[in-house]
Structure formats: C-alpha cells, structure tokens
Amino acid sequence: MKQKNHIKNIRNIGIIAHIDAGKTTVTERILYYTGRSHKIGEVHDGEAIMDWMPDEQERGITITSAVTTCRWKESEIQIIDTPGHVDFTIEVERSLRVLDGAIGVFCAVGGVEPQSETVWRQADKYLVPKIAFINKLDRVGASFFGTIEMMKERLHANPLILQLPVGSEDDFAGIIDLINMKQILWKDDTLGETYITEDIHRDFLETAEEYREKLIETIAEVYDDIMEDYLSENPIATGRLLAAIRRATIDLKLVPVLCGSALRNKGIQPLLDAIVQFLPSPADIPPIKGVHPTTGEIIECKAEDTAPLAALIFKVAMTEGRKLSYVRIYSGKMRTKEDAYNPSRKTNEKLSRILTMHANKRERIESAAAGSIVGVVGLKESSTGETLCSIDHPVLLEKMEFYEPVISVAVEPKTNADQEKLDQVLEKFMAEDPTLKLKKDEDTGQSILSGMGELHLQVIISRMQREFKTNVNVGKPQVVYRETIEKESETSAVFDKEIAGQRHFAKISLKLIPLERGSENRFKSEVDNEVIPDIFIPAIEKGVMEALESGAFMGYPVVDVEAVITGGLHKESLGTELAYTVSASMACKTALANGESFLLDPIMDVEVFVPEAFIGDVIGDLNSRHGKIESIEHKMGAQVIKAIVPLAYMFGYSTSLRSATQGRGTFTMQFSHFDRC
C-alpha cells in the first residue's frame, strides 16, 4: 500500500507559456514557499535558480528546460520549467511528452499570446490535463476576464473560474476562493509567506456569489449527478465539488483558472493547493502503451514499482564533459549499477549513477521508482526519444517527433586548435538538441549549422565560446531552401562496371512526377518480378532517395515528387544491390535535371504585436519584405498583424521592428510551409 500511496502523491508538472508571461518567476515562488530554496531568485537580476545558464541570466529568458523536485503538504511535485521562446519549442515538446499535468501561465495584459497557443496545442497533442494561472494582475492594463475570453476564443478551452481577483492593477491585493467562498489577502512586507483568509468583503460578495453559481453550473453541464442536485437546488458539499473538478480536469473537460501576481508574491500557495487537488498523479492517467520490439504486440506499462521497467529518455545534456540523460520512469524500478536494455539499439546500458535534479544541482540516489523523473549518468549510446526497459520484458515506447531546422550559419574555426575541438563540440550539442543539424559543404569545406531561429543559433555559438572555449567565425545565416520540379520527367540509366573482379550490371527506367506542396516524397514500382526481382526494389528506393537529397538546380534537398519505376533490365548473376542503387541514383539525377527544377522558400507564420500609432510603418515594412498580410486584429490596446513572409527576408527583423515602434513592438514567427520563390 505504501508504494501505491507514494505514486498517488507524485505530481509531474510542467510550466508552459509565452515568453515573458512569468513562468520562471512562478517556479521560483513555488520553490521558495515549498522550502526548496531559501531565497527568491529574480529573473531580472539574473538570479533565478531555474535559469542557471549564463546565457539565460544575461538575456533574462529560459533557454533549456530545467527539472526540480519539491514537496507541498503530502505531495512530491516534480517540475519542469520550459522556455517560452519559439526557437526552443523542442524543449517544451519533449517535456510535455513525459509530464502528467501542466500549468499554463498567461500574462493578464498580453492575454493568450502566440507561443501560448503553440504550447497549449502541444499539451493537447499529448492529452496533458492543464490548470491556467493568470499572472501579472498588478500590471497596468491587466484584464482577468479579457484573458479568459481569449482562452475560449484562441485555445477553444472550457475555463472553470475558481478564483476572482481582489482589486486590480496597483490595487491588486489578493483573491477570492469561489469553492470555499473566502477572501485571501497577502501582506506585502513578508515576501508572500503570510496571508489572511477571511470572509469576503461586502463590496465583492455579490460578484463572488454570481461566479460561484456559474462555477457549479459549469461542472453540472459536464456531470449528470451534479446537474440533478443543481436543478433540485440541493446543496453540493465542498468535497464533492473538489472531486468533480479533479475528474473534469483529468478528463480534459475543464481547465481550472486561478489568478495572482508571482512577482508580487500573491496567489502561489493556492496554486500549489490546486496542483495537488486537481492535477493527476501517475496512477490517475491511463498506462502508457508500447510495442514489443519483435512481435509488435501492444504492451501496457502500469505505474507500479513491481512491474517490469519501462522508461523514456526525453532529454540529453552534456555537463562538465559528461553525458547526463533525463529519464521519465513509467513503470518498474531503476537501480544504480544495474543494466537497462535499449531495444532501439539492441544494447545493454549500465546505470552508473541515478540522480535527483534541482536545476543544475544534483543528488545521488540508489534507486528510482515508477512516476519519477531522474537524471542518469553512464548511458553511452542511448539518445533522446529512446526507451530503457528490462531485457526480459522488452518494450518500445513511442518515439518523439522533432522539428526540421529552417535557418543556417556557416561556422569555421579561428585557429588549428579550435579545428580539433569544433567537430567534438558540435557533436555534443547535437546529442543534446535534435533540432540542431550539421553538414559539411563539399564545395566550400565549411561546416553548415542549421537550427530553429537566429536566437537558437546565437545561443549555441555563445555556449561554444563560454563552455568549451572554442572560437569560431560565423557567416551570415543562410536559408535552408528546398527544390522540386515543374514537369513530369522520364529517363533511363545503365550501370555496367567491374569492381574488384566482379561485374555489376543494372538498368533502370524511372519517371519523376511533381506533387502538390506539402506532399513530401513518394516511391513506387510498376515493374513485375520478371523484369526486376522484388529483392532489388529496396536497393532501387535507396538510390532514388539518396539522389533526392541533392537537387539539380542548386543542390538543396528535393521535395514533393513521386518516383515511379517504369522498367529496367536484369541479367542473372550480374544484377547486384550496388548496381541497382547506383543506376537508380543516376536515373533520378538525370530526371531531376530534365524536370525544370525550381527553388522553394521556407515561408514563416509571423505575428506582430504593435501599438496602433505604428501600424502603418510596420505593414509597410512587412510588404517590403514580400510579406502577405492575412489579418489585423485589435487586442487589449494593441494591433496584432498576422502575415506570412519568406524566411529569407526576415533576417534582422527584430532590429527593424524596434526602430519602427520605439521598442514597443514584439513579434513571433514559426515555420509554416515551403512555397515557390
């Protein structure tokens, strides 16, 4: 029973939001009030515990997701503080993959901002139950109810208002708890540790009673048993109300809404209570499912210590030259010095050390059980998204999806000493970050580093210099284009060559057909077994796909084409896999050259937030960048311009926007699609 109760008391939560909504500030207050830290670290002073990297402290933003554990009452809360900048979306994605619940933090002035939408959708994708915390209610222009309306409109969420603010802007003093019908006020001189729970002031009582009624009505619409009592006007006990809210949150039917001001130390203790009361433990969610690596049988991994081990590596970090793997244990137990099996690589891995994490600090433990999020040292081959399990009970958990990079820079070492280090350092960064890609340009010999945005690449270059003392020259960012073909093209190729005393022969005829944008590449064979034996079809597909990696126009990867094998010639005893791969590659390259190739630009979804006075200048600037304005919306005193713009014209946009708006405009962008230049 002890183990079951322990799992029921675990909460694995993530804090997700748009940049500057106050995620890290909320996390710092949680750590302080739970006794995990003894001093409140402020983001603006560069002292936040969870923003421990020098780049995070300098820029005042979260770059890498940090893990920590704290206790509140009977519960153990494992928190991942995630970045809010779109360039580091992968950190949010892989964190949400392993979390059981999330707190969406919204700025009461900005409301639901673009990256808030992105991370909310990511949480929806992984079916993560959520609580909303409307922050910064002390700021001028804060709108609690305006933010709730935006949640309905933009997130299609069903908010359940559990708290109302007492006062607003400079007069914000506390909250009204609609479940217990009490008023909670914080004293400004005690760092938020001391607060008073009292009867609701008569000025707020009528509003509180109205929203208490709406609270019960919203729950009644979800559950029939509550509806019966509500219609019969029977009183509904507080305990029953709490249980219904918890059930509706875990079932993704409602999103409890709380409020406060983290920077002013108001509203955090009730938020902690809500985390424990409403978000699920690992035992409350359906068991994660995997497949047997050889039979393909579906396997349920129950959140029990006694079950076979099933764990997912969701992040890899290189710290002090050592590889640290962040692991979520879904079932079973991990013990130091024991082996775990990686079914993706078919290898055993030694669990040299198991660590509990507190940002960049760690503590050694002998074992970790189901529901835990821990750091593991000693995994040599395993990487992000791979499974660790028991060799006697192999299971393969669903892999993680990663985004394709859209922007590149050329990096070259400044000295010979840097040359030796550069490849090793970049290899470490790529092990950490699956959205970072490196390729060698055969023509120039340069290393081309591709990432998710300018800030992403700036941080990598900065870390190279700080952490690894590797100095590089950085070329102007280059856009990662794609190529495709204008018209259908058909050709043949013959490979007939003697290599190492053996003759290799193959003839292939293929047709390349252009497809609609976003269709990706396809391959099919229309020849029967007598013309080309089926055994060689995979070798032909390999040759075609390799040829499509470098187009005929400018050498960029080719997309949106279908390669169809229409004929060929096979000579018994001379036909080999090598011959078919090479002849297919030759035929594909010729067909590309004949197909009138053209370039595809990466097109970005851009949202610009700008005061009304500057809207004309901003639209003019976007038009000059070949942007297409899709909509202009008014939101809380500002205009939101939505546009699509080719990435090639977005370099340096942040500087232009600051100049055009006296520093008051902000923007976000993310990859939308590829389209003709």
Side-chain angles (χ1 to χ4, degrees):
M1 279 302 290
K2 187 180 174 188
Q3 177 257 329
K4 271 199 168 178
N5 288 336
H6 171 67
I7 286 182
K8 284 191 174 295
N9 289 334
I10 291 175
R11 300 289 181 274
N12 289 320
I13 63 161
I15 305 205
I16 58 172
H18 186 89
I19 191 168
D20 278 345
K23 296 177 306 303
T24 302
T25 306
V26 168
T27 311
E28 293 297 318
R29 273 36 179 200
I30 287 174
L31 297 180
Y32 181 69
Y33 299 135
T34 57
R36 191 70 177 85
S37 61
H38 302 292
K39 175 178 179 283
I40 293 179
E42 299 292 9
V43 174
H44 52 264
D45 294 333
E47 292 180 353
I49 292 165
M50 301 301 274
D51 286 353
W52 55 271
M53 285 170 60
D55 280 287
E56 292 178 315
Q57 292 164 353
E58 275 181 16
R59 297 169 194 266
I61 62 170
T62 302
I63 290 169
T64 181
S65 50
V67 180
T68 190
T69 306
C70 57
R71 296 195 71 82
W72 182 250
K73 298 180 179 172
E74 298 297 313
S75 293
E76 182 181 300
I77 303 173
Q78 298 180 126
I79 304 171
I80 301 184
D81 176 31
T82 64
H85 197 286
V86 69
D87 281 17
F88 308 105
T89 298
I90 184 61
E91 291 286 337
V92 185
E93 181 89 16
R94 58 188 177 184
S95 299
L96 286 170
R97 171 73 171 79
V98 297
L99 291 171
D100 303 326
I103 301 166
V105 178
F106 299 98
C107 169
V109 181
V112 178
E113 295 164 287
Q115 187 62 6
S116 302
E117 284 188 67
T118 303
V119 295
W120 197 270
R121 303 263 177 269
Q122 287 172 306
D124 284 342
K125 181 169 100 176
Y126 292 115
L127 306 177
V128 176
K130 296 168 286 290
I131 287 175
F133 181 74
I134 298 177
N135 191 27
K136 303 191 179 185
L137 281 164
D138 59 312
R139 291 262 303 272
V140 175
S143 172
F144 176 73
F145 292 109
T147 304
I148 285 169
E149 285 308 307
M150 288 181 73
M151 284 178 65
K152 292 177 186 173
E153 181 189 321
R154 290 200 163 193
L155 306 177
H156 306 294
N158 193 0
L160 180 69
I161 300 172
L162 301 186
Q163 297 175 353
L164 296 175
V166 175
S168 64
E169 300 183 353
D170 289 344
D171 299 326
F172 177 67
I175 61 163
I176 291 167
D177 174 359
L178 295 175
I179 295 173
N180 298 301
M181 287 301 279
K182 290 289 180 184
Q183 184 170 287
I184 304 171
L185 303 178
W186 277 265
K187 293 187 175 180
D188 287 326
D189 58 349
T190 62
L191 289 178
E193 287 179 273
T194 307
Y195 53 93
I196 302 162
T197 303
E198 58 186 22
D199 290 335
I200 298 169
H201 193 277
R202 63 176 180 272
D203 292 351
F204 305 113
L205 192 57
E206 189 179 332
T207 306
E209 285 172 346
E210 178 194 340
Y211 277 93
R212 160 83 178 191
E213 188 75 10
K214 285 183 180 176
L215 164 71
I216 296 171
E217 194 178 306
T218 305
I219 299 167
E221 285 170 5
V222 175
Y223 295 117
D224 292 343
D225 56 329
I226 304 280
M227 178 63 86
E228 284 174 21
D229 285 337
Y230 174 68
L231 293 174
S232 307
E233 297 185 5
N234 294 332
I236 299 166
T238 301
R240 192 164 160 225
L241 211 54
L242 289 169
I245 296 169
R246 177 180 176 78
R247 191 164 34 129
T249 307
I250 294 171
D251 291 346
L252 306 176
K253 291 180 177 175
L254 297 174
V255 177
V257 178
L258 297 90
C259 60
S261 168
L263 190 63
R264 301 283 169 254
N265 311 310
K266 296 179 172 77
I268 302 300
Q269 293 93 334
L271 174 62
L272 280 161
D273 288 336
I275 289 167
V276 171
Q277 286 170 331
F278 306 130
L279 289 179
S281 73
D284 294 320
I285 55 172
I288 192 166
K289 290 179 180 174
V291 296
H292 193 285
T294 51
T295 66
E297 173 198 352
I298 303 289
I299 298 171
E300 278 195 353
C301 306
K302 293 184 178 176
E304 296 171 356
D305 292 0
T306 52
L309 175 66
L312 186 78
I313 303 165
F314 67 93
K315 177 176 171 171
V316 171
M318 306 304 290
T319 55
E320 298 162 9
R322 293 189 125 189
K323 182 176 170 183
L324 173 65
S325 303
Y326 288 80
V327 175
R328 160 71 196 260
I329 305 173
Y330 286 101
S331 67
K333 242 182 175 180
M334 276 186 170
R335 294 179 181 81
T336 305
K337 306 290 187 216
E338 287 190 356
D339 283 355
Y341 180 63
N342 180 333
S344 302
R345 298 180 184 265
K346 299 181 179 171
T347 55
N348 281 338
E349 293 274 28
K350 176 73 77 179
L351 308 172
S352 301
R353 278 189 283 165
I354 301 173
L355 312 162
T356 55
M357 305 301 299
H358 180 46
N360 62 330
K361 297 181 176 65
R362 58 203 74 142
E363 185 184 314
R364 290 179 73 158
I365 53 175
E366 288 305 307
S367 65
S372 300
I373 294 175
V374 293
V376 175
V377 177
L379 306 182
K380 290 181 179 171
E381 294 183 41
S382 302
S383 65
T384 304
E386 293 179 359
T387 306
L388 295 175
C389 61
S390 158
I391 194 160
D392 300 328
H393 299 87
V395 62
L396 200 54
L397 301 178
E398 187 185 348
K399 278 214 160 198
M400 297 163 73
E401 296 173 7
F402 302 121
Y403 298 94
E404 285 298 310
V406 293
I407 185 171
S408 300
V409 291
V411 291
E412 53 185 35
K414 286 188 175 178
T415 67
N416 285 336
D418 292 325
Q419 173 70 64
E420 291 171 17
K421 282 195 213 168
L422 182 61
D423 289 343
Q424 294 174 358
V425 170
L426 288 174
E427 200 174 303
K428 287 177 179 176
F429 281 134
M430 286 189 295
E432 278 191 11
D433 186 348
T435 60
L436 200 63
K437 296 278 192 289
L438 178 72
K439 76 168 186 179
K440 293 276 186 188
D441 190 312
E442 298 300 329
D443 297 326
T444 63
Q446 284 181 311
S447 297
I448 307 295
L449 191 62
S450 306
M452 298 302 293
E454 284 181 274
L455 180 61
H456 185 201
L457 294 176
Q458 283 169 16
V459 167
I460 293 295
I461 302 298
S462 169
R463 286 185 62 199
M464 239 184 244
Q465 293 163 342
R466 281 181 199 272
E467 294 175 32
F468 298 97
K469 306 292 184 283
T470 306
N471 293 308
V472 293
N473 293 318
V474 181
K476 188 187 172 195
Q478 299 295 311
V479 177
V480 181
Y481 293 98
R482 296 288 186 269
E483 292 184 22
T484 192
I485 55 172
E486 180 89 71
K487 64 174 190 178
E488 198 172 293
S489 170
E490 192 163 2
T491 188
S492 297
V494 177
F495 182 79
D496 188 359
K497 203 165 189 179
E498 192 171 301
I499 301 171
Q502 183 187 349
R503 189 175 162 207
H504 299 262
F505 176 88
K507 180 182 178 182
I508 293 292
S509 297
L510 69 75
K511 180 166 59 178
L512 287 185
I513 304 167
L515 300 174
E516 287 184 11
R517 295 291 77 81
S519 303
E520 299 185 345
N521 292 334
R522 298 179 197 156
F523 172 86
K524 74 175 182 182
S525 171
E526 290 181 348
V527 297
D528 57 34
N529 197 31
E530 283 86 36
V531 178
I532 298 174
D534 290 344
I535 193 170
F536 294 116
I537 298 300
I540 295 170
E541 183 175 3
K542 181 187 172 193
V544 168
M545 292 306 171
E546 283 175 358
L548 293 177
E549 286 174 12
S550 179
F553 186 45
M554 290 182 70
Y556 290 105
V558 179
V559 294
D560 302 337
V561 298
E562 181 174 47
V564 182
I565 305 304
T566 56
L569 183 61
H570 175 69
K571 291 186 179 178
E572 200 64 47
S573 78
L574 299 181
T576 62
E577 286 191 5
L578 171 66
Y580 279 106
T581 300
V582 176
S583 63
S585 180
M586 290 161 59
C588 189
K589 284 183 185 296
T590 307
L592 285 172
N594 298 336
E596 296 183 11
S597 295
F598 61 90
L599 274 188
L600 294 173
D601 245 335
I603 307 295
M604 310 302 285
D605 275 328
V606 180
E607 282 205 9
V608 189
F609 291 73
V610 58
E612 197 152 350
F614 306 106
I615 194 165
D617 292 340
V618 172
I619 289 174
D621 186 33
L622 286 170
N623 286 335
S624 74
R625 294 170 184 271
H626 300 261
K628 180 183 171 189
I629 308 297
E630 298 212 301
S631 69
I632 301 172
E633 297 173 13
H634 182 78
K635 187 185 85 170
M636 295 185 185
Q639 298 289 344
V640 183
I641 303 167
K642 294 187 179 182
I644 54 170
V645 190
L647 177 61
Y649 296 97
M650 285 302 291
F651 294 125
Y653 183 63
S654 53
T655 307
S656 300
L657 183 64
R658 277 197 292 270
S659 303
T661 62
Q662 298 174 7
R664 291 168 64 193
T666 60
F667 83 102
T668 61
M669 71 173 181
Q670 54 195 344
F671 174 73
S672 171
H673 62 282
F674 283 100
D675 211 343
R676 189 164 192 155
C677 284

